């Protein structure tokens, strides 16, 4: 069983839709949680970083962490065609080892 | 453009060649990372340097040799690679500190490596 499971997708939504991306994890040593966006032929770009249970908002993006359920989510409001990319969840232990989910490919259609 | 710069962007090499990948950051970060990413797969951690010292080696074959000459630079020396080593090699950096994990990593755009 993988330490991090991410909804595989692919996901296709119309422009303006609310997108929900999700990951679950099994390792209690994960303390820090990130969401990255990766465009084709580019490196992952950090979108959100959080370390406590609850919600964190940044513009159209909201990251949600539930440590008791070992579940994290990323919500994208008013999705745009430019949001079309692969979204990766990632989790860190205190030692700095990052484990990534397999990624969800999102397409936002105009 | 990212604040982590990787060169070259593309590299084609034979199995007997020796080459190096270079990564540079000027954000004052003290932790640097090498990842390998195959197509349609997530990045896989290879090495972590903290304060120029190797702190994590994820059992990477010795044909990959990392080097951190100073806090801004990270190299990955390649020798006698195999075709299955063809991948995107990503460098990342983070602020660093006693708890490496409590700072997010910032990635470069990678070097796309092809082994003939």
């Amino acid at each position: 069983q993988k330490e991090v499971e991410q909804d595989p997708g692919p996901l296709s939504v119309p422009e303006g839709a609310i997108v929900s991306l999700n990951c679950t994890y099994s390792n209690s040593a994960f303390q820090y949680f990130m969401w990255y966006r990766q465009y084709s032929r580019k490196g992952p770009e950090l979108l959100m970083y959080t370390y406590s249970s609850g919600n964190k908002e940044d513009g159209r993006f909201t990251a949600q962490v539930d440590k008791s359920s070992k579940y994290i989510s990323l919500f994208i409001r008013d999705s745009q065609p430019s949001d079309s990319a692969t979204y990766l969840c990632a989790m860190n232990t205190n030692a700095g080892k990052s484990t990534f989910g397999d990624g969800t490919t999102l397409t936002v259609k105009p | 453009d990212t604040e982590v710069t990787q060169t070259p962007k593309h590299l084609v090499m034979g199995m007997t060649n020796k080459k190096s990948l270079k990564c540079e950051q000027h954000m004052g970060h003290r932790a640097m990372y090498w990842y390998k990413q195959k197509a349609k797969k997530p990045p896989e951690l290879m090495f972590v340097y903290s304060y120029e010292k190797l702190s994590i080696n994820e059992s990477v074959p010795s044909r990959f040799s990392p080097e951190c000459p100073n806090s801004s630079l990270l190299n990955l020396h390649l020798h006698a690679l195999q075709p299955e080593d063809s991948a995107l090699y990503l460098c990342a950096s983070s602020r660093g500190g006693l708890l490496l994990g409590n700072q997010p990593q910032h990635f470069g755009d990678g070097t796309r490596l092809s082994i003939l």
Side-chain angles (χ1 to χ4, degrees):
Chain A
Q1 186 187 359
K2 292 181 181 177
E3 286 187 303
V4 179
E5 298 276 2
Q6 182 170 357
D7 289 350
L11 198 55
S12 181
V13 301
E15 183 174 355
I18 296 175
V19 176
S20 172
L21 304 166
N22 307 296
C23 289
T24 58
Y25 63 98
S26 56
N27 187 349
S28 297
F30 291 137
Q31 298 295 320
Y32 310 98
F33 306 93
M34 284 74 61
W35 284 96
Y36 290 89
R37 176 174 64 193
Q38 188 171 21
Y39 293 113
S40 180
R41 301 193 170 277
K42 293 287 189 180
E45 172 193 3
L46 180 67
L47 287 176
M48 300 290 283
Y49 163 70
T50 186
Y51 53 85
S52 56
S53 285
N55 293 351
K56 180 178 180 180
E57 191 173 318
D58 184 359
R60 296 186 295 112
F61 299 95
T62 299
Q64 191 174 80
V65 173
D66 183 344
K67 285 189 175 182
S68 62
S69 301
K70 295 188 174 65
Y71 187 89
I72 71 170
S73 297
L74 178 71
F75 298 95
I76 307 174
R77 289 184 299 281
D78 188 25
S79 56
Q80 303 295 308
S82 57
D83 295 328
S84 299
T86 296
Y87 289 79
L88 296 155
C89 64
M91 309 184 185
N92 284 0
T93 64
N94 283 329
K97 288 185 63 170
S98 288
T99 302
F100 286 77
D102 283 348
T104 302
T105 299
L106 170 68
T107 301
V108 181
K109 296 185 175 179
Chain B
D1 289 343
T2 69
E3 294 181 88
V4 177
T5 304
Q6 291 188 245
T7 53
K9 291 192 188 307
H10 303 275
L11 179 62
V12 179
M13 57 187 286
M15 288 190 283
T16 58
N17 291 156
K18 286 184 182 181
K19 296 284 185 184
S20 296
L21 309 184
K22 182 179 172 181
C23 174
E24 196 165 0
Q25 58 86 15
H26 294 289
M27 295 181 280
H29 288 174
R30 300 309 299 269
M32 296 185 78
Y33 309 75
W34 280 115
Y35 286 85
K36 174 182 178 180
Q37 187 177 27
K38 301 284 270 185
K40 300 191 186 300
K41 295 290 187 183
E44 294 178 14
L45 184 65
M46 299 174 72
F47 302 104
V48 180
Y49 274 84
S50 176
Y51 292 88
E52 295 98 70
K53 291 192 185 331
L54 184 66
S55 64
I56 296 177
N57 176 343
E58 290 287 89
S59 302
V60 178
S62 60
R63 59 185 184 269
F64 295 92
S65 175
E67 178 197 20
C68 190
N70 60 56
S71 60
S72 301
L73 275 177
L74 186 65
N75 298 319
L76 187 63
H77 303 298
L78 315 172
H79 174 53
L81 295 194
Q82 305 297 309
E84 61 265 27
D85 297 322
S86 298
L88 180 68
Y89 287 84
L90 293 162
C91 173
S93 70
S94 68
R95 196 177 301 172
L98 285 177
L99 293 178
L100 268 184
N102 71 355
Q103 295 295 328
Q105 295 167 33
H106 300 264
F107 285 82
D109 282 336
T111 293
R112 194 161 298 277
L113 178 65
S114 297
I115 307 300
L116 300 179

